[in-house]
Amino acid sequence: MELPIDHFRLLGVSPTTDAQTALRTLQQRLDRVPSDGYSLEALDARAELLRASADLLSDTERRSRYEADLTALTSGGMAVIPALDVPNSLEVGGLLLLLEAGQPLESFELANRALQPPQAPGLGSSREADLTLVAAQACLAGAQDLHQQRRYEVAAQLIGQGQQLLQRMGQLPRQRQQLAEALEALAPYRVLDLLSRPLTASTERSEGLTMLADLVVRRGGLEGTADPNFSPEEFQAFFKQIRAYLTVQEQVDLFGTWAANSAAADFLTTTALTASGFAQRKPERIAAALQRLQASGQGGIDPMLGCLHLLLGQVEQGLACFEQGASPELKTWAQQQGDDGLTQLCAYCRDWLCRDVLPGYRDLEADADLDAYFADRDVQAYIERHDPRPTSPTSSPTISPNDNPKGSPKSSPDEETQTAAATSPQSSAKTPTNPFAALAGELGLQGSTPPSNVTGEDSSQHGEDNDGRARWLWPDNWPWPQHWSLSLSWPAIPKANGRWLAAAALGAGVAAGAAVLVLRQGQHETQALPVVPAPVAAPAPLPAAQSQSPTTPTSPTTPKSQAKRPAVPLEVANPTETELQQLLTAWLNAKAAVMAGKPSPNPLVDIARP
């Protein structure tokens, strides 16, 4: 057998050691006999090999020739490793010295090879027991070295080989238990190693997710403490790292499987669904998060319920939840963001998304931009589709000049004002079913425009501390909710403070012609929130004949071609609902064309008019 080691390392001395030091080292090594259950033959073979190395290194002439041979090997320009030729009768002693020299991987490989047929020793012999013991100890030492090198998967594979070998030999139950414990302690590091692989490494990542699920089950759940080798504090730090490597869908699937028996997992599933729904513009996921959070029955979640209602276009429900559940400190902070409730709710929702919802996913890089969210057509379609307002059979149809019979009187400006007031959000019985009808006076922006980037004290959400140091995307204000009675730090409702984002509130919609969010009316009338009118076409002054009297009939000389006016420019004083919708459609088409780098189908000056 060839041992990949030279006489200096086998004895444990440096190449500059003199003869007297080599002899003293020999005596020390002979006095420290391994007491792990090796046979007398193995210990004698070890001692014989140590004496042979000491004799060579203490003989000046033999040592000079040996050093010349080593120099010739290392200076030949080839990757040559010095080795010692050891007879088979001394192989156990040689493998034991190789392990003591800090080469456990080589010792395990040679011992494993010696135990394989056809060179396997006799069944039940002392040589078989010695080789098995060397292999077990070398496997444990090698796995520890690989662990320190952060080669976790290689360490796990080595332990697996050792377990198979000891199981086949049917020996050393204590060492087999040690290998099993080492493999179990290695699990968190293996999970981190596998999940940190690129997203294209689907096989490795799938194995990591399976191991993570087994690890949580062994602990008794996210809140469990059944793992004696993994304290709650260690698991908390581990989990913070793990979340940064999971995609949002992986978190939804993984946490959803634990949610039935874990309040923390249920809350994390809700957060992941909300993040996925907001970033990917899928309100259906936000609706699922709302249902899950409502079914949890936990206390102190009303502000979050208000945010979810807002993202689904259910403004009144959101305002009610926020008003009911906000703490006095949160209300004080909210009042600093705006005067009306909707402004405050939008500011809180934006901050909640920015701090507690969107960070912590490997595949999400979304901004808490409510304007862009409500301007998305899928979001608009969902809000329209789930509009709870009933169609009133007594609602008066919108009257336009095109709908008047010839000779019928037109409405005066005062009557138009009364009609607009009757169709405002204050009167749910006369609110038109089509939300476009409310855009003329109900949709628009209110307050200042929120900043597009977060700077200053809020830079921690981008993965850096104020001094630029990298940090985990895990908000520091996520303690366990007290009503959960848990010991780890998990997401909870963030505390309000004056350093939160100075966000502006959205109105009932976000942009004229882009949002269709309309205040939802309940069973009773509610006071409409103040909004700034959207920049729609201003009414043109009425002709002199019409402005004299509200009962002046329509001029009989009006051409019939007026019944089909073009969508743009819109120049009538009281446009119909259809004309408003055509104008908004033209604006959306123009916007899409400009963003795509194409010419606008209609001149923008004809669409955006004073």
Side-chain angles (χ1 to χ4, degrees):
M1 173 184 290
E2 287 188 353
L3 295 180
I5 194 173
D6 55 51
H7 285 290
F8 293 101
R9 288 188 295 139
L10 188 142
L11 185 59
V13 297
S14 67
T16 60
T17 302
D18 56 21
Q20 293 299 325
T21 303
L23 292 176
R24 285 197 300 269
T25 303
L26 169 64
Q27 189 60 44
Q28 293 173 357
R29 297 290 299 276
L30 292 177
D31 292 341
R32 294 196 298 267
V33 179
S35 58
D36 297 317
Y38 290 99
S39 65
L40 183 60
E41 292 83 356
L43 297 179
D44 289 343
R46 172 182 177 273
E48 184 176 347
L49 291 175
L50 286 173
R51 291 191 182 95
S53 295
D55 291 343
L56 184 145
L57 298 180
S58 60
D59 188 323
T60 305
E61 184 177 352
R62 293 175 59 196
R63 178 173 177 171
S64 298
R65 290 197 300 268
Y66 181 70
E67 289 178 345
D69 293 339
L70 289 179
T71 303
L73 285 175
T74 56
S75 61
M78 299 179 61
V80 180
I81 300 176
L84 299 178
D85 192 6
V86 177
N88 291 336
S89 59
L90 303 178
E91 65 176 353
V92 177
L95 293 176
L96 187 55
L97 290 173
L98 192 62
L99 176 59
E100 294 176 6
Q103 297 182 232
L105 297 179
E106 293 82 353
S107 178
F108 174 79
E109 180 63 27
L110 292 174
N112 189 20
R113 188 183 306 170
L115 288 170
Q116 304 297 329
Q119 67 270 22
L123 185 63
S125 64
S126 60
R127 178 170 174 265
E128 180 190 54
D130 290 334
L131 286 173
T132 305
L133 183 56
V134 170
Q137 293 182 339
C139 182
L140 284 171
Q144 185 176 3
D145 290 347
L146 292 171
H147 188 176
Q148 294 176 353
Q149 301 171 16
R150 299 185 179 182
R151 301 171 61 188
Y152 306 120
E153 269 304 291
V154 180
Q157 294 173 4
L158 178 64
I159 293 177
Q161 294 178 10
Q163 288 179 319
Q164 292 179 0
L165 176 63
L166 296 186
Q167 185 176 4
R168 179 172 63 84
M169 303 305 297
Q171 300 179 15
L172 307 176
R174 183 172 65 87
Q175 282 75 12
R176 291 164 65 180
Q177 179 64 26
Q178 290 177 346
L179 288 175
E181 293 175 355
L183 185 61
E184 183 176 338
L186 199 62
Y189 304 96
R190 294 180 62 195
V191 171
L192 187 61
D193 183 16
L194 292 171
L195 293 181
S196 63
R197 305 287 178 88
L199 295 178
T200 54
S202 57
T203 302
E204 291 81 358
R205 290 184 57 80
S206 177
E207 182 181 357
L209 291 173
T210 302
M211 293 181 58
L212 177 59
D214 295 340
L215 179 63
V216 173
V217 170
R218 187 166 68 243
R219 290 185 56 81
L222 287 179
E223 303 94 326
T225 57
D227 191 350
N229 299 323
F230 211 4
S231 66
E233 293 75 15
E234 293 174 337
F235 183 76
Q236 175 186 356
F238 161 74
F239 196 82
K240 289 180 181 180
Q241 293 177 303
I242 285 298
R243 281 201 67 205
Y245 292 109
L246 295 175
T247 65
V248 64
Q249 186 59 47
E250 288 172 345
Q251 293 194 28
V252 170
D253 297 338
L254 196 62
F255 300 151
T257 59
W258 307 330
N261 302 316
S262 171
D266 191 26
F267 185 87
L268 291 173
T269 306
T270 300
T271 305
L273 284 171
T274 304
S276 174
F278 183 84
Q280 301 173 5
R281 306 299 190 251
K282 294 181 179 179
E284 296 82 2
R285 293 204 159 198
I286 298 179
L290 176 62
Q291 295 177 0
R292 181 180 292 272
L293 194 59
Q294 288 174 331
S296 66
Q298 302 294 340
I301 59 175
D302 287 330
M304 287 184 291
L305 292 176
C307 294
L308 295 176
H309 279 300
L310 175 66
L311 295 177
L312 295 175
Q314 302 165 1
V315 178
E316 286 188 353
Q317 295 92 319
L319 291 172
C321 289
F322 186 77
E323 178 65 24
Q324 176 181 353
S327 64
E329 295 80 6
L330 180 56
K331 289 183 179 179
T332 301
W333 172 86
Q335 291 172 359
Q336 299 173 359
Q337 315 307 313
D339 296 332
D340 61 274
L342 186 56
T343 300
Q344 299 168 7
L345 177 58
C346 289
Y348 175 75
C349 181
R350 186 181 289 105
D351 189 84
W352 176 63
L353 290 170
C354 189
R355 285 182 175 269
D356 299 343
V357 176
L358 296 178
Y361 306 95
R362 187 170 186 175
D363 58 338
L364 281 189
E365 293 183 1
D367 295 328
D369 190 346
L370 294 181
D371 297 305
Y373 172 80
F374 285 114
D376 186 83
R377 292 191 177 184
D378 292 337
V379 176
Q380 296 176 13
Y382 179 89
I383 294 175
E384 285 190 78
R385 194 164 56 250
H386 295 79
D387 188 351
R389 295 171 301 163
T391 302
S392 176
T394 60
S395 298
S396 301
T398 303
I399 298 182
S400 67
N402 298 331
D403 299 326
N404 289 343
K406 187 174 181 179
S408 62
K410 286 192 175 184
S411 300
S412 67
D414 293 337
E415 292 174 341
E416 292 172 0
T417 303
Q418 295 174 2
T419 304
T423 58
S424 67
Q426 300 176 4
S427 178
S428 60
K430 295 185 179 182
T431 301
T433 304
N434 191 336
F436 283 103
L439 286 175
E442 297 176 4
L443 301 185
L445 289 171
Q446 182 176 10
S448 58
T449 304
S452 58
N453 296 319
V454 180
T455 57
E457 295 178 344
D458 291 317
S459 61
S460 60
Q461 65 181 314
H462 295 288
E464 294 183 355
D465 287 325
N466 293 340
D467 56 356
R469 294 176 299 173
R471 63 184 292 274
W472 293 110
L473 290 177
W474 181 277
D476 296 330
N477 59 341
W478 280 12
W480 282 103
Q482 295 181 358
H483 55 272
W484 284 353
S485 301
L486 302 178
S487 57
L488 301 183
S489 294
W490 295 101
I493 303 172
K495 297 180 180 180
N497 56 73
R499 299 182 301 163
W500 286 15
L501 297 177
L506 294 177
V510 289
V516 294
L517 180 60
V518 180
L519 295 179
R520 301 295 188 248
Q521 300 299 322
Q523 299 297 327
H524 58 280
E525 296 183 358
T526 57
Q527 182 67 28
L529 297 176
V531 295
V532 177
V536 298
L542 293 176
Q546 297 181 12
S547 60
Q548 293 176 359
S549 173
T551 58
T552 302
T554 305
S555 174
T557 60
T558 301
K560 295 183 179 181
S561 59
Q562 186 181 3
K564 292 186 178 180
R565 288 189 293 266
V568 293
L570 184 59
E571 299 175 329
V572 296
N574 48 352
T576 64
E577 193 173 304
T578 302
E579 289 172 334
L580 282 177
Q581 185 167 359
Q582 290 175 350
L583 176 66
L584 296 175
T585 302
W587 184 86
L588 288 174
N589 293 335
K591 176 182 176 183
V594 172
M595 294 181 66
K598 301 178 181 179
S600 172
N602 294 290
L604 296 181
V605 294
D606 289 344
I607 301 177
R609 296 172 56 85

